[in-house]
Structures are given as C-alpha cells and as structure tokens.
Amino acid sequence: MRSSSDPTARTPGTTRRPEGRGPVRYGPPLPEAGLPVLPELAAMVAGAAGRATCEPPGGAPALLEAACGYWRRRGLDAEREQLGAAPGAAPLLLALTAALGGDVLVPRPCSAWWVPQARLLGRAVYHVPTPAECGGVPDSTAFLETVRRVRAEGGDPRLLILSVADDPTATVPPPEVLHEAVEAAAAEGVHVISDETWRDTVHPGADSVLFSPAEMYPREVTVLNDLTGAFLPPSLPAACARFPATERGARLRARVLDFLTATGALLPAPVAAAATYALNEPDEITERRRTGAALHARVAGALHHAVLAAGGLARPPRAGRHLYMDLEELRPRLTDLGVTDSQELEDFLGERLRMPVPGGHRFGDEQGALRARLSTGPLLGSTPEERRASLTSPEPLELPHVARVLTMVGATLRAIGDGAGATGEGWESER
C-alpha cells in the first residue's frame, strides 16, 4: 500500500524519485505567489546582511512591536509579551505542539504541513470531517464525538488546529460555523491553534466574513501566521504567534521559546529585518498584497470554471492561491485511464500539466477519493518578466503565458470528461 504521509509531486519535468511518495521532505509546500520579490524587501535583507549579532529567541523587540501593530489593525489586542517569532511556521508549530502535549485533532482535509509536526513528536493525530459548506474547521458534532471516543480509548486530546482561510480548500468558514467549532473545543478543554496564514489573501469581492477565533475565545486560542502566505517570499521564512493574555498563555509562550532556543530555531537578522518591514505594512507592502490577492482571485476563478466545465466539482475559491477539486463524477473515465485514487490522479495530472497537482491524500483526505489541489502561482509565468506582466496587466488572463496554461488545464480536464484518451490517444496534442 502506498504511504499516506505528506510527500509531494515532483518538480515538473524531472524523474520521480522512488521514495518520493512517502517521506515528509517531499511534501507539497504552501502555494507560492509566483510574483517578483519587492525591491524594498530585497533592500532590507541586503542592509541587514552585515549584522554580526544573533537575533534573540522569539524575535527582537522591533519585530514583536511590528507584529503587535499588525494584529491591532485586525482587531486583536497584542503586547510584545504575548508574541513570539520563528524562522517559519513549521518550527513554530512544532514548538507549540511539543509545549502543549497530548493528542492532536485536525480537520479533514488540512494543510499538508500540520500533521508531520505531531508525528515527529510521536503524537497521535485524529482527522475530523468538515461541514459541507467549507473546509478549515471541523464539524462541531463530529469533533465532540471524536474527542469523547479518543478519551474512551485512553487517548489525551489537547490540541485542535484549524484555519480561518484554508489550504487546501481555499474556503473561509462562516463565523457561526467557526464559533461552533471553537466553542466545542473550549467546552472540552482543548486548546486551539488558529492558522491565519491566508487571512490576508481573501479575494476581493468574495462574500466572506473573516473572524479570528481569538476574537471569540481569547483565553483558549493561540494564533499562528506564516508570513510567506501574504507578505514574504518562501526564501525568507518567518512566522509569528500570538498567545492568550493569561497566565497559562504566558507559560505556554515561555515553553515555546525554550523549545525554539534548544533547537536553534532563531530568525537570521536579514529575515528578521524583512519580516519587521512587512509587518509594519508600508504602502508598497499593502499594495502588493492587494494586487496579488486580486490577481490570484482571477486566476483561481478561471481554474474553477475549467473544473466545473469539465464535469468536476470544487467549492468557489475565496482566499489563497489554490483550488481544491473533486473529480469523482469523472471516475468512470479516469478508471479507463488507469486512475483510481488520488496518488494516481496526482501522477496523471502532474505529467500532463507539467506542474505539481498534489492529490488529496497529501492533505489527509481519503486516498481513494479523486481529489487534488491546483495552485495559481505556476500560471503567472516562469520568468521575472512574465510575472511582472501578470501583476501589472489589466487583463492577466489574456496574457499568452497565462492563457496557454489555462487552456492546457481546461483541455486536459475536458478530455477526461469527454472520455478522450482512454487508450492514451489525444493527450499529446494538449501538451
């Protein structure tokens, strides 16, 4: 049986490594922006490259003060003593999971990078179904049933991880659904980590109202934000956490900082400089965030249309740089093509589209289901010039490099829906 841990699709155009289906190091990364690095960010990195001193564990005062301002502008009170920073969301979540102890609950599907942290620590992980209208949060009734079953079997559920703007489903949970999930966790004494990486990528015009669980239950929620979601390129990994303003929250923060120190998970000075600059949100950062969200919204909308036109299903994308599609309706056609599960779907689409299309099993979904995530970043170009054109064009979908990939995605999906290529015929013409 194939491993259901968090591997990734290979880099387009390369030969798959035999071990690439299983090890965590091949897991799918967050969907990239596919846009040039802002010159101002590059200048901040260059200006700090000569610093000889080490950044303190959890972040320097200037970075934490910038993070305070960031959260206050979003309606969450914050003081420096409540915050911590790390070189990326993964080491920060690892430290949080270690500090909190116990078993972990996550929605199904969920971000591919959540579960490896708990498994690395030897913690049990339980996937809870999501409600029909969104991903990112567990159905509250299913959550309560899972917690009580785990306890009856001798388990110790202490942590629920959820997201207010979701990878992989690109949905934003309605406030009442989010409230029910957090209320259920609070009633059971389960701490909540709210992954808010994608909160600043909500698509303009989306009929979504975004709340943080920390607004609803401030004593039970720790907020986590990976700055590579909306502010920094993946080459500058940085993440911040906001802990509850309680005695327990202070103890949790202290243990997290101890863990970060012990593992050497400290921000390099150039990355800290860029993160501080981004969190202060000068005009150029705000404008890039706004235009980037609008661009990805248009491309995600076009991908959504292509999936529906081919007979597939997908919730309308509301945030982020991705789309989660379900091709179960096309199973008879896909079976004729030798595609019967999400790993085979990933291989099939990755080879034809020449870009990663990670299957749903990468996100904790059932491997037998025909689900996969499409990302919008690869459509924006492969050179800095193409990416700048995508960002500045009033009609980005009409640019040749964008239109070419959109056409290829649509043609590939339509060929499945039409039953073309059951013997391999018809695919080459679409490459």
Side-chain angles (χ1 to χ4, degrees), residues 23-412:
V24 172
R25 64 184 178 276
Y26 297 113
L30 288 178
E32 294 186 19
L35 297 173
V37 176
L38 276 171
E40 293 84 358
L41 282 178
M44 295 302 299
V45 171
R51 290 187 195 170
T53 56
C54 181
E55 292 289 301
L63 171 60
L64 300 182
E65 193 60 44
C68 285
Y70 166 84
W71 268 305
R72 288 169 187 156
R73 289 189 292 275
R74 286 151 182 82
L76 288 176
D77 290 335
E79 302 297 333
R80 289 196 330 225
E81 295 73 20
Q82 285 178 258
L83 308 182
L92 193 47
L93 180 59
L94 181 68
L96 279 162
T97 306
L100 286 162
D103 300 331
V104 180
L105 299 105
V106 295
R108 182 191 297 270
C110 69
S111 290
W113 63 274
W114 290 356
V115 172
Q117 319 305 315
R119 287 182 174 161
L120 186 63
L121 294 168
R123 305 288 167 73
V125 179
Y126 298 91
H127 291 267
V128 184
T130 57
E133 59 264 48
C134 66
V137 299
D139 175 84
S140 58
T141 301
F143 172 81
L144 291 171
E145 291 173 350
T146 302
V147 167
R148 290 160 189 171
R149 173 177 58 81
V150 170
R151 286 178 176 155
E153 295 172 353
D156 183 20
R158 295 190 199 175
L159 170 61
L160 167 65
I161 310 174
L162 52 76
S163 59
V164 299
D166 188 43
D167 170 29
T169 66
T171 58
V172 175
E176 62 275 13
V177 173
L178 180 63
H179 186 276
E180 289 171 0
V182 182
E183 182 179 46
E188 294 296 327
V190 175
H191 193 77
V192 173
I193 293 179
S194 175
D195 179 4
E196 301 188 3
T197 294
W198 301 104
R199 69 165 298 151
D200 295 298
T201 68
V202 172
H203 298 167
D207 53 347
S208 303
V209 179
L210 190 147
F211 282 94
S212 171
E215 299 178 68
M216 304 171 176
Y217 287 86
R219 300 176 64 86
E220 286 83 19
V221 177
T222 296
V223 178
L224 176 65
N225 191 335
D226 186 341
L227 300 185
T228 61
F231 295 99
L232 298 177
S235 58
L236 299 173
C240 294
R242 176 190 178 275
F243 299 87
T246 62
E247 184 178 342
R248 183 181 180 219
R251 291 197 302 270
L252 175 60
R253 178 180 183 268
R255 293 188 67 189
V256 166
L257 295 190
D258 284 345
F259 194 96
L260 294 174
T261 303
T263 57
L266 309 179
L267 276 169
V271 178
T276 302
Y277 181 81
L279 286 168
N280 280 319
E281 297 186 281
D283 290 345
E284 56 271 16
I285 290 287
T286 301
E287 178 62 15
R288 169 59 67 88
R289 179 167 56 82
R290 184 190 66 79
T291 56
L295 172 60
H296 285 285
R298 295 191 67 176
V299 178
L303 288 174
H304 184 245
H305 175 78
V307 171
L308 298 186
L313 299 174
R315 295 186 182 102
R318 298 292 185 237
R321 306 188 281 257
H322 46 278
L323 176 79
Y324 199 56
M325 61 180 177
D326 185 336
L327 301 185
E328 188 64 33
E329 294 294 319
L330 307 182
R331 181 175 288 276
R333 312 286 203 280
L334 285 165
T335 299
D336 290 340
L337 294 161
V339 177
T340 62
D341 64 18
S342 61
Q343 177 63 68
E344 292 169 347
L345 181 64
E346 174 185 300
D347 293 342
F348 181 86
L349 292 177
E351 289 170 2
R352 285 157 179 81
L353 300 180
R354 296 291 190 260
M355 65 182 186
V357 187
H361 61 293
R362 315 290 187 173
F363 311 101
D365 226 334
E366 300 89 347
Q367 183 156 341
L370 294 173
R371 300 184 187 117
R373 186 188 72 185
L374 289 169
S375 296
T376 53
L379 280 73
L380 303 185
S382 57
T383 67
E385 292 75 20
E386 288 181 344
R387 293 169 179 174
R388 277 192 289 270
S390 297
L391 186 64
T392 58
S393 173
E395 297 295 338
L397 301 184
E398 297 179 6
L399 292 171
H401 59 274
V402 178
R404 181 173 62 252
V405 183
L406 275 175
T407 298
M408 182 168 58
V409 172
T412 299

